[in-house]
Protein backbone atom coordinates (compact mmCIF):
# COMPACT_ATOMS: atom_id res chain seq x y z
CA UNK A 1 0.00 0.00 0.00
CA UNK A 2 1.16 3.50 -0.79
CA UNK A 3 -0.28 6.65 0.71
CA UNK A 4 -1.08 9.79 -1.20
CA UNK A 5 -3.05 12.98 -1.01
CA UNK A 6 -6.10 13.83 -3.10
CA UNK A 7 -5.40 16.51 -5.68
CA UNK A 8 -6.78 17.88 -8.91
CA UNK A 9 -6.17 16.07 -12.18
CA UNK A 10 -3.43 18.52 -13.17
CA UNK A 11 -1.54 17.99 -9.92
CA UNK A 12 -1.81 14.22 -9.71
CA UNK A 13 -2.57 11.98 -6.77
CA UNK A 14 0.97 11.44 -5.59
CA UNK A 15 3.95 13.70 -5.16
CA UNK A 16 6.64 13.20 -7.77
CA UNK A 17 7.35 10.04 -9.65
CA UNK A 18 8.24 7.90 -6.63
CA UNK A 19 4.84 6.18 -6.56
CA UNK A 20 5.03 5.53 -10.31
CA UNK A 21 8.48 3.95 -9.92
CA UNK A 22 7.28 1.76 -7.04
CA UNK A 23 4.20 0.66 -8.97
CA UNK A 24 6.19 0.07 -12.18
CA UNK A 25 8.78 -2.12 -10.45
CA UNK A 26 6.40 -4.09 -8.21
CA UNK A 27 6.02 -7.83 -8.68
CA UNK A 28 2.68 -7.95 -6.84
CA UNK A 29 -0.38 -5.68 -7.15
CA UNK A 30 0.11 -2.38 -5.33
CA UNK A 31 -2.61 -0.02 -4.16
CA UNK A 32 -2.04 3.70 -3.78
CA UNK A 33 -4.57 5.03 -1.28
CA UNK A 34 -5.44 8.67 -0.51
CA UNK A 35 -5.21 9.71 3.13
CA UNK A 36 -8.98 10.32 3.16
CA UNK A 37 -9.79 6.68 2.41
CA UNK A 38 -11.50 5.06 5.39
CA UNK A 39 -13.08 1.84 4.19
CA UNK A 40 -12.99 -0.75 1.42
CA UNK A 41 -14.24 0.47 -1.95
CA UNK A 42 -17.72 -0.41 -3.14
CA UNK A 43 -17.38 0.99 -6.67
CA UNK A 44 -14.39 0.23 -8.86
CA UNK A 45 -13.41 0.81 -12.47
CA UNK A 46 -10.99 -1.59 -14.14
CA UNK A 47 -9.12 -0.56 -17.28
CA UNK A 48 -9.21 -3.71 -19.41
CA UNK A 49 -6.99 -4.17 -22.46
CA UNK A 50 -7.39 -7.98 -22.28
CA UNK A 51 -3.68 -8.48 -21.58
CA UNK A 52 -2.56 -10.65 -18.63
CA UNK A 53 -1.82 -7.66 -16.38
CA UNK A 54 -5.24 -6.05 -16.84
CA UNK A 55 -6.95 -9.39 -16.18
CA UNK A 56 -4.81 -9.71 -13.03
CA UNK A 57 -5.92 -6.19 -12.05
CA UNK A 58 -9.59 -7.11 -12.54
CA UNK A 59 -9.24 -10.15 -10.29
CA UNK A 60 -7.31 -8.18 -7.65
CA UNK A 61 -9.96 -5.45 -7.65
CA UNK A 62 -12.69 -8.08 -7.24
CA UNK A 63 -10.85 -9.44 -4.21
CA UNK A 64 -10.86 -5.97 -2.63
CA UNK A 65 -14.26 -4.48 -3.45
CA UNK A 66 -16.71 -4.94 -0.62
CA UNK A 67 -20.19 -5.96 -1.81
CA UNK A 68 -20.35 -3.47 -4.64
CA UNK A 69 -19.99 -3.07 -8.35
CA UNK A 70 -17.01 -3.34 -10.65
CA UNK A 71 -17.12 -1.61 -14.02
CA UNK A 72 -14.94 -3.33 -16.63
CA UNK A 73 -13.99 -0.64 -19.15
CA UNK A 74 -12.22 -1.15 -22.46
CA UNK A 75 -11.12 1.91 -24.40
CA UNK A 76 -10.81 1.61 -28.16
CA UNK A 77 -7.89 3.63 -29.44
CA UNK A 78 -8.54 6.11 -32.21
CA UNK A 79 -6.71 4.45 -35.09
CA UNK A 80 -7.07 5.23 -38.77
CA UNK A 81 -6.69 2.20 -40.97
CA UNK A 82 -5.94 3.23 -44.55
CA UNK A 83 -8.06 1.83 -47.39
CA UNK A 84 -10.79 0.54 -45.10
CA UNK A 85 -14.21 1.70 -44.04
CA UNK A 86 -13.62 3.05 -40.51
CA UNK A 87 -17.24 2.45 -39.49
CA UNK A 88 -17.08 -1.22 -40.47
CA UNK A 89 -13.77 -1.62 -38.61
CA UNK A 90 -15.24 0.07 -35.52
CA UNK A 91 -18.27 -2.23 -35.56
CA UNK A 92 -16.13 -5.37 -35.79
CA UNK A 93 -13.70 -4.14 -33.12
CA UNK A 94 -16.44 -3.10 -30.69
CA UNK A 95 -18.38 -6.33 -31.23
CA UNK A 96 -15.28 -8.35 -30.36
CA UNK A 97 -14.49 -6.15 -27.34
CA UNK A 98 -18.07 -6.48 -26.04
CA UNK A 99 -17.87 -10.27 -26.37
CA UNK A 100 -14.58 -10.38 -24.44
CA UNK A 101 -15.88 -8.01 -21.74
CA UNK A 102 -19.04 -10.09 -21.32
CA UNK A 103 -16.96 -13.26 -21.02
CA UNK A 104 -14.67 -11.66 -18.42
CA UNK A 105 -17.66 -10.35 -16.43
CA UNK A 106 -19.20 -13.85 -16.39
CA UNK A 107 -15.93 -15.43 -15.21
CA UNK A 108 -15.53 -12.86 -12.44
CA UNK A 109 -19.20 -13.18 -11.44
CA UNK A 110 -18.73 -16.93 -11.00
CA UNK A 111 -15.68 -16.28 -8.77
CA UNK A 112 -17.33 -13.40 -6.83
CA UNK A 113 -21.11 -13.96 -6.63
CA UNK A 114 -21.54 -11.12 -4.11
CA UNK A 115 -20.37 -8.49 -6.61
CA UNK A 116 -22.08 -6.97 -9.62
CA UNK A 117 -20.11 -6.53 -12.84
CA UNK A 118 -20.89 -3.99 -15.54
CA UNK A 119 -19.13 -3.47 -18.84
CA UNK A 120 -18.50 -0.38 -20.92
CA UNK A 121 -16.64 0.66 -24.05
CA UNK A 122 -14.93 4.00 -24.47
CA UNK A 123 -12.94 5.72 -27.18
CA UNK A 124 -9.84 7.85 -27.21
CA UNK A 125 -6.85 8.03 -24.89
CA UNK A 126 -7.24 5.16 -22.44
CA UNK A 127 -6.09 6.92 -19.25
CA UNK A 128 -8.28 9.97 -19.85
CA UNK A 129 -11.31 7.89 -20.78
CA UNK A 130 -10.95 5.64 -17.72
CA UNK A 131 -10.43 8.62 -15.41
CA UNK A 132 -13.49 10.40 -16.83
CA UNK A 133 -15.58 7.24 -16.48
CA UNK A 134 -14.43 6.76 -12.86
CA UNK A 135 -15.06 10.42 -12.02
CA UNK A 136 -18.58 10.14 -13.46
CA UNK A 137 -19.31 7.22 -11.13
CA UNK A 138 -17.50 8.73 -8.16
CA UNK A 139 -15.54 5.46 -8.08
CA UNK A 140 -13.46 4.67 -5.03
CA UNK A 141 -10.93 2.50 -6.86
CA UNK A 142 -9.41 2.35 -10.32
CA UNK A 143 -7.45 -0.77 -11.30
CA UNK A 144 -5.09 -1.17 -14.25
CA UNK A 145 -2.36 -3.51 -15.38
CA UNK A 146 1.19 -2.60 -16.22
CA UNK A 147 3.48 -3.90 -18.92
CA UNK A 148 6.39 -6.25 -18.29
CA UNK A 149 9.55 -4.56 -17.01
CA UNK A 150 12.09 -3.73 -19.68
CA UNK A 151 13.42 -0.64 -21.44
CA UNK A 152 10.63 -0.31 -23.99
CA UNK A 153 7.96 -1.40 -21.54
CA UNK A 154 9.12 1.20 -19.01
CA UNK A 155 8.41 3.85 -21.61
CA UNK A 156 4.99 2.29 -22.29
CA UNK A 157 4.12 2.35 -18.59
CA UNK A 158 3.78 6.10 -18.91
CA UNK A 159 0.84 5.78 -21.24
CA UNK A 160 -2.05 4.35 -19.21
CA UNK A 161 -1.10 3.11 -15.73
CA UNK A 162 1.01 6.09 -14.71
CA UNK A 163 -1.47 8.50 -16.29
CA UNK A 164 -4.14 7.03 -14.05
CA UNK A 165 -1.87 7.03 -10.99
CA UNK A 166 -0.87 10.65 -11.52
CA UNK A 167 -4.40 11.99 -12.06
CA UNK A 168 -6.82 9.78 -10.11
CA UNK A 169 -9.06 11.23 -7.41
CA UNK A 170 -9.37 7.85 -5.70
CA UNK A 171 -7.35 4.78 -4.78
CA UNK A 172 -5.47 3.12 -7.64
CA UNK A 173 -4.47 -0.53 -7.93
CA UNK A 174 -1.73 -1.41 -10.42
CA UNK A 175 -1.13 -5.08 -11.17
CA UNK A 176 2.03 -6.42 -12.76
CA UNK A 177 2.18 -8.95 -15.55
CA UNK A 178 1.55 -12.40 -14.07
CA UNK A 179 4.55 -14.66 -14.55
Amino acid sequence: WLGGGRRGRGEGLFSGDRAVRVLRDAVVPVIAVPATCGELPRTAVVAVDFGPASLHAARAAADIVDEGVIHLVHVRPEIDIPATDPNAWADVYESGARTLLTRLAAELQAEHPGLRFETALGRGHAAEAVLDYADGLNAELIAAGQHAPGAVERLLFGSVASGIVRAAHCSVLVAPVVK
Side-chain angles (χ1 to χ4, degrees):
W1 296 77
L2 293 172
R6 243 178 127 113
R7 301 181 183 172
R9 186 169 289 179
E11 299 171 48
L13 177 61
F14 309 101
S15 58
D17 289 326
R18 185 176 308 157
V20 171
R21 284 193 307 274
V22 168
L23 294 168
R24 178 188 63 214
D25 295 333
V27 295
V28 296
V30 176
I31 303 173
V33 181
T36 58
C37 183
E39 55 190 48
L40 290 175
R42 296 180 56 85
T43 304
V45 172
V46 180
V48 178
D49 66 5
F50 305 109
S54 73
L55 300 178
H56 189 196
R59 285 183 166 74
D63 288 340
I64 293 168
V65 172
D66 187 29
E67 299 178 5
V69 60
I70 294 181
H71 297 262
L72 304 171
V73 180
H74 176 75
V75 180
R76 178 178 75 95
E78 296 293 340
I79 299 173
D80 290 328
I81 299 178
T84 65
D85 176 6
N87 292 327
W89 180 85
D91 290 345
V92 169
Y93 183 95
E94 289 179 5
S95 174
R98 276 192 189 89
T99 298
L100 291 173
L101 282 171
T102 300
R103 186 179 306 150
L104 176 59
E107 289 173 13
L108 292 170
Q109 185 69 63
E111 296 168 15
H112 301 275
L115 295 176
R116 192 172 88 235
F117 294 89
E118 309 230 347
T119 63
L121 291 176
R123 287 187 182 173
H125 184 269
E128 290 176 15
V130 168
L131 288 162
D132 289 344
Y133 192 88
D135 285 348
L137 294 172
N138 205 20
E140 298 148 334
L141 175 70
I142 300 173
Q146 69 177 350
H147 295 278
V152 173
E153 290 81 3
R154 287 179 193 265
L155 293 173
L156 293 175
F157 183 87
S159 64
V160 177
S162 72
I164 291 170
V165 168
R166 288 185 176 118
H169 293 156
C170 61
S171 298
V172 177
L173 179 149
V174 177
V177 173
V178 180
K179 295 180 182 184

